[in-house]
Amino acid sequence: MMTSGIPKTDLHEIVNLPAPQAAPLLLGQRLVHETAEGRVSGIITEVEAYQQDDPASHTFRGQTTRNRVMFGRAGHAYVYFSYGMHWCVNIVTDQEGLGSGVLVRAVRIDEGLSLAWYRRYKEIYPEQPSAARVRMLSNGPGKVTQALDINASSYGIDVLDELSSLKLEYVGPANSRQTPRIGISKGIDTPWRWLLIEGD
DNA sequence: CCATGGATTGTCT
DNA sequence: GACAATCCATGGA
């Protein structure tokens, strides 16, 4: 496993930026969740930015019980329940009180693939997994939380604290392409979605 | 390939 | 009481 020589202060610098600047810089970084079952991690491959002056944001109408973490310090996890059955995870960004964050929409599983597979498909990891199903494992915000077993118990966790069960690890810079956000009905013209361009 | 509809419940109006 | 920062299966071109 590669560890980067770049100090973790870089992640602090990243999450203190406004969400649209932080979002592309979070691509390529590793999201890790350690549970009693084991460690599963993924390289972030798709993100979206949200901030308060943005009608698509959960913080647009001010602070509520659900979104209060987004108004807190950067680098904490805003986890919410969506469509009655899915969890989604965001990294809070920018200055305290601004209500901004980055939604993690997809990862590429990096460690703990067999555990992630079982959580998603409720079946033992096969001998010859199809490439399609490996891709489908965590290519959506609800799939990411299923694969990493992220739910309300991770609400508000400091993901920049290496002692946290849910945390970010800095890997390095990444190339990205930018598009409008998806799955929303307002703010659809704002191009605040970024996808990792897998380099080699 | 693209479009559509059902599942299911917390949150806010 | 409406709707949602989704996923999956299905059906048609």
Side-chain angles (χ1 to χ4, degrees):
Chain A
M1 60 217 69
M2 299 285 297
T3 52
S4 99
I6 298 171
K8 65 173 184 279
T9 53
D10 276 4
L11 273 177
H12 284 88
E13 290 172 17
I14 289 170
V15 300
N16 280 319
L17 295 169
Q21 293 176 44
L25 299 176
L26 290 173
L27 290 174
Q29 316 317 329
R30 185 183 293 109
L31 182 65
V32 183
H33 195 202
E34 291 172 349
T35 70
E37 294 179 312
R39 171 179 165 117
V40 175
S41 72
I43 299 298
I44 298 174
T45 57
E46 180 182 342
V47 292
E48 285 178 357
Y50 291 88
Q51 59 183 27
Q52 198 181 356
D53 64 353
D54 163 12
S57 176
H58 288 172
T59 57
F60 184 60
R61 294 175 193 284
Q63 187 170 336
T64 66
T65 305
R66 174 174 70 154
N67 68 23
R68 74 191 139 77
V69 168
M70 271 188 87
F71 288 92
R73 290 196 45 228
H76 290 243
Y78 167 50
V79 180
Y80 70 92
F81 191 56
S82 181
Y83 289 97
M85 64 192 82
H86 301 291
W87 296 96
C88 297
V89 60
N90 296 249
I91 311 300
V92 177
T93 62
D94 209 342
Q95 302 296 300
E96 195 167 346
L98 293 186
S100 73
V102 173
L103 171 67
V104 178
R105 288 193 57 88
V107 304
R108 171 169 40 76
I109 297 296
D110 188 44
E111 302 163 281
L113 180 57
S114 63
L115 177 53
W117 187 282
Y118 186 79
R119 285 170 174 164
R120 283 276 292 127
Y121 300 132
K122 298 299 175 222
E123 66 180 37
I124 304 298
Y125 185 62
E127 295 285 335
Q128 305 282 345
S130 88
R133 288 187 85 197
V134 171
R135 274 199 314 277
M136 296 292 284
L137 200 58
S138 52
N139 65 342
K143 302 179 188 181
V144 168
T145 58
Q146 268 185 47
L148 300 207
D149 193 26
I150 295 168
N151 53 53
S153 65
S154 295
Y155 188 89
I157 285 184
D158 180 359
V159 299
L160 298 193
D161 183 346
E162 63 184 26
L163 300 179
S164 293
S165 58
L166 180 66
K167 60 201 165 195
L168 279 175
E169 292 177 357
Y170 190 79
V171 177
N175 295 319
S176 61
R177 68 179 223 264
Q178 186 175 2
T179 79
R181 295 172 296 183
I182 61 180
I184 55 175
S185 54
K186 298 165 203 155
I188 54 177
D189 47 337
T190 310
W192 282 355
R193 173 175 178 246
W194 287 265
L195 297 113
L196 181 69
I197 300 172
E198 303 276 356
D200 28 352

